[in-house]
Amino acid sequence: MSLDAYYTLGRSGLRVSRLALGTMTFGDNWGWGAAEDTARAMFDRYLAAGGNFFDTADLYTEGASEELLGKFVADSGSRDRAVISTKFSYNAQPGNPNAGGNGRKNILRAVEGSLRRLRTDYIDLYILHTWDRLTPAEEVVRTLDDLVRAGKIRYAGLSDVPAWYASRAQTYAEAHALTPLVNLQLEYSLIERHIEHEFVPMAGELGIGITAWSPMGMGLLSGKYKPSEAGGAGDGRLAKISGTPGFDRFTERNWAIVAALEEVAGKIGRPMAQVALNWVATQPGIASVIIGATKLAQLDDNLSALSFEIPGELRARLDAASALEPSFPYWFFGDVQQSRIHGGVAVGSKPAGYAPPVYVPAQQQAGFKAD
């Protein structure tokens, strides 16, 4: 169980673990989650495994998530090692519209609160949590650039925004030599693959790394639900929210995906949760996958998700079970229509070996020294 491989986040020099520790479960203020002692044990275990990427938000557990993460980082003396990501957008002051949203006034207010709760004088990655449908992308980018220049944040990103908004923001930053966005945090799993239409190619083109949240479909892919054992909806947290717009997980399509996942996991001899995480982490465009847990045993299970490869034929089984229905205009971009554009001959961009990615394998430290 080791996380000693790191990817750079987008077109940046920031190295992050391929599995990020999501800390929305730090604190039980919402009636569920992990108490401080359990949260600390998970933090310590993740750090000991080589993990360095921590995800939180000012909203999570009424601020307790940031407070506990800040306390654990300070107590462990790991601030230089830790890459702390937190988010702004949501409002904790009813009746005050400027205590939420993505305008300059709220961003500058929110960052001070996060810095205080996290016990730090800078945030490694500061992320707009959700599009507010109002604030111009230019205002957001200018404000985030100001925070970088002031030394309060190191990098910036977006979460849960339309692709056109992210494109506009990044293009504006490039055109005006402002701090570029290096991260998009988006939902992605075997049961939620819609980012493949726009976000994945956009991120690759514009130098933005994607971090995936809810890689286990809010728990549907965790192994708790097994069709072979008549695993039904039950009465857990997922059952309580399923049916809410955007959160309906108990569908015929999703049960078919769960069945395929159980089949593949059985053939590999791995837990369903590990296979689901491995699939997401090894998809195109994904820089890191956010894992969350309420128990240490769950975290231990998740940390082993990258210690194996899914065989090609079994990966194809998962791909087929979870494939999206062709829709407009995306079916125009498939091989059949594209072949008509290119005259029926094979065409492409550069071959795979033209510009191979930079990857430095791990080295044994004992006796190792630079020239």
Side-chain angles (χ1 to χ4, degrees):
M1 183 175 63
S2 176
L3 299 178
D4 58 356
Y6 306 86
Y7 284 174
T8 52
L9 191 58
R11 194 176 293 135
S12 80
L14 183 64
R15 288 84 157 167
V16 298
S17 303
R18 296 180 63 195
L19 297 179
L21 182 60
T23 66
M24 186 170 69
T25 58
F26 281 20
D28 49 15
N29 305 56
W30 286 348
W32 54 271
E36 181 173 344
D37 57 344
T38 302
R40 183 184 288 273
M42 291 193 291
F43 172 89
D44 290 342
R45 186 66 57 86
Y46 176 76
L47 204 65
N52 75 340
F53 195 13
F54 300 91
D55 178 78
T56 185
D58 57 4
L59 162 80
Y60 294 164
T61 53
E62 312 302 330
S65 174
E66 285 186 331
E67 290 175 351
L68 290 174
L69 178 59
K71 181 179 182 180
F72 301 159
V73 169
D75 290 351
S76 61
S78 58
R79 184 63 192 95
D80 283 346
R81 176 179 170 184
V83 176
I84 297 176
S85 168
T86 192
K87 301 181 282 292
F88 64 88
S89 287
Y90 285 91
N91 197 316
Q93 298 180 29
N96 179 7
N98 284 312
N102 305 322
R104 172 179 283 266
K105 182 175 175 66
N106 182 57
I107 295 176
L108 297 180
R109 179 205 63 82
V111 74
E112 297 299 338
S114 289
L115 288 169
R116 182 177 64 256
R117 287 185 292 272
L118 289 165
R119 303 187 188 187
T120 184
D121 56 4
Y122 70 95
I123 293 165
D124 295 288
L125 176 61
Y126 201 41
I127 300 175
L128 180 155
H129 204 158
T130 301
W131 184 46
D132 66 7
R133 297 170 54 188
L134 294 170
T135 309
E138 297 87 346
E139 181 175 340
V140 173
V141 170
R142 282 282 184 186
T143 306
L144 293 173
D145 180 74
D146 287 343
L147 290 178
V148 170
R149 294 174 188 274
K152 294 189 177 184
I153 70 173
R154 298 293 188 258
Y155 297 91
L158 305 173
S159 174
D160 302 337
V161 301
W164 69 261
Y165 190 87
S167 297
R168 183 173 179 85
Q170 186 73 323
T171 303
Y172 181 81
E174 291 175 345
H176 296 274
L178 302 175
T179 299
L181 303 169
V182 302
N183 178 235
L184 271 172
Q185 190 176 118
L186 302 164
E187 182 178 4
Y188 189 47
S189 70
L190 279 165
I191 65 171
E192 179 47 77
R193 296 180 58 180
H194 286 92
I195 69 169
E196 294 174 12
H197 284 320
E198 296 281 354
F199 288 96
V200 171
M202 179 204 70
E205 182 71 19
L206 297 182
I208 305 173
I210 295 175
T211 50
W213 63 263
S214 196
M216 287 191 283
M218 296 187 176
L220 187 64
L221 307 173
S222 66
K224 177 180 178 181
Y225 306 92
K226 295 182 178 179
S228 68
E229 299 175 8
D235 59 358
R237 183 166 62 94
L238 185 56
K240 293 177 182 177
I241 65 172
S242 193
T244 304
F247 294 94
D248 190 7
R249 295 296 182 263
F250 301 137
T251 66
E252 183 177 346
R253 172 183 179 270
N254 287 353
W255 285 125
I257 295 171
V258 173
L261 176 62
E262 183 184 13
E263 173 192 340
V264 169
K267 290 184 177 180
I268 298 177
R270 290 280 180 169
M272 290 170 63
Q274 288 186 11
V275 177
L277 286 172
N278 185 292
W279 182 90
V280 172
T282 52
Q283 285 289 99
I286 304 302
S288 187
V289 179
I290 301 171
I291 57 175
T294 57
K295 299 183 178 78
L296 192 58
Q298 291 175 333
L299 178 64
D300 284 339
D301 190 38
N302 292 345
L303 290 178
S304 298
L306 300 181
S307 61
F308 63 96
E309 293 185 6
I310 302 174
E313 68 277 9
L314 295 181
R315 190 179 193 94
R317 172 79 176 93
L318 294 175
D319 291 345
S322 61
L324 298 171
E325 288 290 330
S327 60
F328 178 83
Y330 304 108
W331 61 267
F332 271 112
F333 313 142
D335 290 346
V336 173
Q337 288 294 327
Q338 290 290 301
S339 180
R340 296 178 63 194
I341 294 173
H342 300 299
V345 300
V347 298
S349 57
K350 304 298 186 296
Y354 179 83
V358 175
Y359 186 77
V360 181
Q363 298 286 336
Q364 296 294 326
Q365 294 299 308
F368 176 78
K369 63 180 180 178
D371 292 336

